C-alpha cells in the first residue's frame, strides 16, 4: 500500500492506493483539502488544477475507482476541495463507490431531532445556467440519490471490515455528535485564531511548565478518526479529532500504557495543533513516524505540539507534507538536545507491504 499525504495547503487530503487479496487495485480518499487543492484561478483568471484533480485523473485514467471516500468532518480545509470537484465535474460521483460522512442530516436523524437545512452543503453542480437545477442541490441529496452514501453513523467502538482492511473507529463518540445538534457556526473559536508562532523557542523551553489545554472546536470533536489495519500492520489517522476522544477510543480497543497501539505511523490530529495532542494520548501510542499535514499558513503546526511528541518518544521521524517547514521550526539546539530526531525528506514514500 502506498499512502500519500497530499500537499493540501492548510488542510488534509490523504490517498491510499493498494491491491486487495484478489489483486484488484483499490483507492481510498480521506478528505480533499480546501478548494484550491482541486483548482484555483491564477492572477490572469486562468484555472489551474491542483493535486486533488491530478490524483482523481490518475485514478480515472487507470480505470480504477474511488472505492471509499471518507469525509472526516465538515470544516472547509477537509471538504471544500471535494465540493469544488463535484461542482466542476458532472461525472464526479460516478467515480465513487462508497462514502462515509456523518452529515448534519444523518446526525439529527440519529438523535431524532428535526433537521436544520442550513447545515446541509449547498452545491451548484456543473455551473448549470438552468437555475431550477442549480437551486436546492445539496451534497447530501446528491450522494443519497446516487446510492453511494452508506448513510450510517460512523462512531467510536465500531470495527468495520471492508476492502481487505479493518477500520477501528476511535472518534467521534455519541457526545461529540450530540454537540452538533444546532445551527453550525463557520467561525473558529477565538482562542484558536489569536496565537502567534512559537518557533523561536527551543523544544526544551517549550516543555518548561507545559500544560495541555483542550480544543474547544465542536466540529473538530466530530472528526472521524480510526486505525486502519492492512496485512496485519496498523496505521493511525486522527483527522482533527480531540485527544480525549481518541484516548477513550484506544482504551475501548484495549490499548493501555502497558499495551500501547504499535503502528507504522500516526497522522497527527489537527495539523499539529497543541490543543489536539496530549501526553495521555502519546502514552497509548508507539510509532516510529509522525505525520504533520500543514503548509504552515495558519497557526499550525505548533512547535509545542511537536515538542511533546519529540520529548515523549525521543527516537522518531517526523514527516511534513510541506518539508521546508521543518527548517523554520527547529533550531540547531533542538537537534543537539534530541540527536535521534529525524526529519524525513520531501520524496519519502510511505509504503506498507
Ligand atoms: Zn483541519
Amino acid at each position: 500500500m502506498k499512502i500519500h499525504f497530499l500537499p493540501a495547503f492548510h488542510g488534509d487530503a490523504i490517498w491510499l492506493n493498494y491491491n486487495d487479496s484478489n489483486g484488484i487495485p483499490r483507492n481510498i480518499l480521506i478528505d480533499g483539502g480546501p478548494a484550491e487543492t482541486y483548482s484555483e484561478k491564477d492572477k490572469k483568471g486562468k484555472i489551474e488544477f491542483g493535486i486533488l484533480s491530478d490524483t482523481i485523473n490518475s485514478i480515472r485514467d487507470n480505470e480504477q475507482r474511488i472505492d471509499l471516500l471518507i469525509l472526516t468532518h465538515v470544516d472547509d480545509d477537509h471538504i471544500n476541495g471535494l465540493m469544488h470537484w463535484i461542482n466542476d465535474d458532472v461525472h464526479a460521483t460516478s467515480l465513487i463507490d462508497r462514502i462515509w460522512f456523518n452529515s448534519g442530516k444523518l446526525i439529527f436523524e440519529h438523535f431524532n431531532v428535526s433537521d436544520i437545512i442550513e447545515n446541509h452543503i449547498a452545491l451548484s453542480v456543473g455551473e448549470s445556467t438552468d437555475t431550477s437545477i442549480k437551486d436546492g442541490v445539496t451534497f447530501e441529496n446528491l450522494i443519497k440519490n446516487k446510492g453511494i452514501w452508506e448513510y450510517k453513523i460512523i462512531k467510536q467502538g465500531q470495527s468495520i471490515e471492508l476492502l481487505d482492511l479493518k477500520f477501528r473507529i476511535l472518534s467521534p463518540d455519541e457526545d461529540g455528535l450530540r454537540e452538533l445538534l444546532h445551527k453550525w457556526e463557520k467561525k473558529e473559536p477565538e482562542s484558536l485564531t489569536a496565537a502567534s508562532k512559537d518557533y523561536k523557542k527551543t523544544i526544551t523551553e517549550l516543555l518548561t511548565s507545559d500544560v495541555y489545554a483542550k480544543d474547544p472546536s465542536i466540529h473538530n470533536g466530530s472528526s472521524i478518526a480510526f486505525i486502519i489495519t492492512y496485512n496485519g500492520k496498523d496505521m493511525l489517522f486522527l483527522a482533527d479529532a480531540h485527544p480525549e476522544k481518541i484516548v477513550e477510543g484506544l482504551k475501548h480497543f484495549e490499548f493501555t500504557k502497558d499495551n500501547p497501539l504499535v503502528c507504522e505511523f500516526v497522522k497527527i490530529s489537527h495539523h499539529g495543533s497543541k490543543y489536539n495532542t496530549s501526553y495521555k494520548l502519546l502514552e497509548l501510542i508507539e510509532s516510529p513516524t509522525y505525520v504533520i499535514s500543514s503548509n504552515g499558513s495558519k497557526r499550525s503546526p505548533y512547535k509545542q505540539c511537536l515538542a511533546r511528541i519529540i520529548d515523549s518518544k525521543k527516537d522518531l521521524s517526523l514527516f511534513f507534507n510541506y518539508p521546508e517547514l521543518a527548517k523554520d521550526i527547529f533550531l540547531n539546539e533542538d537537534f543537539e538536545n534530541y540527536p535521534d530526531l529525524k526529519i524525513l525528506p520531501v520524496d519519502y514514500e510511505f509504503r506498507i507491504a
Side-chain angles (χ1 to χ4, degrees):
M1 176 186 281
K2 283 194 216 169
I3 303 98
H4 308 262
F5 297 95
L6 302 178
F9 302 84
H10 55 287
D12 273 7
I14 308 166
W15 171 35
L16 279 54
N17 174 251
Y18 65 102
N19 285 347
D20 71 12
S21 53
N22 296 316
I24 300 169
R26 300 291 187 185
N27 295 287
I28 296 174
L29 201 54
I30 305 167
D31 293 329
E36 55 271 33
T37 317
Y38 181 74
S39 74
E40 61 184 330
K41 285 184 178 154
D42 69 10
K43 281 178 191 142
K44 290 176 181 160
K46 192 171 153 269
I47 291 175
E48 286 189 355
F49 287 95
I51 188 86
L52 179 63
S53 169
D54 296 347
T55 303
I56 290 161
N57 288 337
S58 87
I59 292 170
R60 191 179 264 147
D61 293 347
N62 288 316
E63 297 182 359
Q64 298 177 14
R65 314 275 308 152
I66 297 174
D67 297 279
L68 172 64
L69 170 65
I70 303 172
L71 301 180
T72 63
H73 64 299
V74 295
D75 281 348
D76 292 354
D77 60 318
H78 295 255
I79 69 164
N80 272 12
L82 292 162
M83 298 310 137
H84 218 48
W85 170 42
I86 286 164
N87 276 326
D88 182 64
D89 175 2
V90 285
H91 303 295
T93 49
S94 56
L95 193 67
I96 306 168
D97 281 344
R98 187 184 282 103
I99 298 178
W100 289 357
F101 174 41
N102 289 340
S103 81
K105 186 179 164 70
L106 191 53
I107 296 165
F108 280 68
E109 226 172 83
H110 177 73
F111 289 103
N112 225 341
V113 173
S114 49
D115 200 6
I116 298 174
I117 204 83
E118 289 96 320
N119 290 345
H120 293 207
I121 301 165
L123 293 176
S124 53
V125 176
E127 298 289 335
S128 172
T129 47
D130 180 349
T131 48
S132 67
I133 295 174
K134 215 161 136 178
D135 285 353
V137 180
T138 65
F139 176 64
E140 288 84 344
N141 283 337
L142 179 71
I143 60 175
K144 204 169 180 216
N145 292 341
K146 295 271 178 187
I148 55 176
W149 187 7
E150 286 223 326
Y151 209 67
K152 63 167 191 201
I153 290 280
I154 304 292
K155 66 173 184 176
Q156 190 181 81
Q158 291 169 340
S159 190
I160 302 166
E161 306 224 0
L162 187 70
L163 301 163
D164 283 340
L165 304 176
K166 185 165 82 176
F167 293 80
R168 277 171 285 179
I169 312 297
L170 306 175
S171 165
D173 65 358
E174 285 277 317
D175 292 340
L177 293 168
R178 196 179 288 111
E179 285 190 36
L180 288 172
L181 295 175
H182 56 82
K183 188 163 170 258
W184 300 346
E185 299 287 339
K186 275 277 164 200
K187 214 168 150 273
E188 284 200 296
E190 284 284 314
S191 58
L192 292 180
T193 52
S196 62
K197 291 220 165 106
D198 54 2
Y199 299 172
K200 289 208 170 74
K201 290 188 179 167
T202 64
I203 293 172
T204 315
E205 282 167 337
L206 286 165
L207 291 172
T208 313
S209 66
D210 174 37
V211 181
Y212 162 78
K214 285 182 181 181
D215 173 8
S217 161
I218 288 167
H219 286 186
N220 288 345
S222 71
S223 282
I224 302 177
F226 42 83
I227 306 165
I228 295 183
T229 310
Y230 169 77
N231 275 351
K233 289 174 183 156
D234 292 332
M235 297 163 262
L236 187 53
F237 294 90
L238 296 181
D240 287 359
H242 289 171
E244 297 76 15
K245 306 291 174 181
I246 306 165
V247 165
E248 260 177 43
L250 287 169
K251 287 188 175 160
H252 173 91
F253 289 108
E254 295 179 350
F255 295 108
T256 61
K257 208 175 159 180
D258 298 325
N259 175 40
L261 169 71
V262 177
C263 54
E264 303 295 309
F265 60 80
V266 183
K267 201 300 285 185
I268 286 294
S269 175
H270 200 200
H271 323 286
S273 166
K274 65 176 175 179
Y275 303 103
N276 298 72
T277 298
S278 64
Y279 291 103
K280 284 211 169 93
L281 169 60
L282 290 169
E283 280 178 6
L284 301 180
I285 304 168
E286 201 179 297
S287 172
T289 303
Y290 296 80
V291 177
I292 294 95
S293 55
S294 172
N295 65 352
S297 68
K298 302 266 163 158
R299 308 153 302 281
S300 299
Y302 284 79
K303 188 169 178 178
Q304 194 156 358
C305 168
L306 305 177
R308 281 177 201 153
I309 300 168
I310 293 163
D311 193 61
S312 305
K313 306 299 175 187
K314 305 285 192 303
D315 184 3
L316 82 163
S317 297
L318 293 179
F319 177 77
F320 295 86
N321 67 345
Y322 286 86
E324 61 277 13
L325 268 183
K327 291 189 204 84
D328 294 341
I329 297 172
F330 297 112
L331 307 167
N332 287 340
E333 204 182 321
D334 294 324
F335 290 108
E336 282 159 22
N337 292 338
Y338 295 90
D340 295 321
L341 166 64
K342 290 170 284 298
I343 309 294
L344 294 172
V346 59
D347 55 356
Y348 182 80
E349 286 192 356
F350 283 84
R351 279 173 189 268
I352 310 288

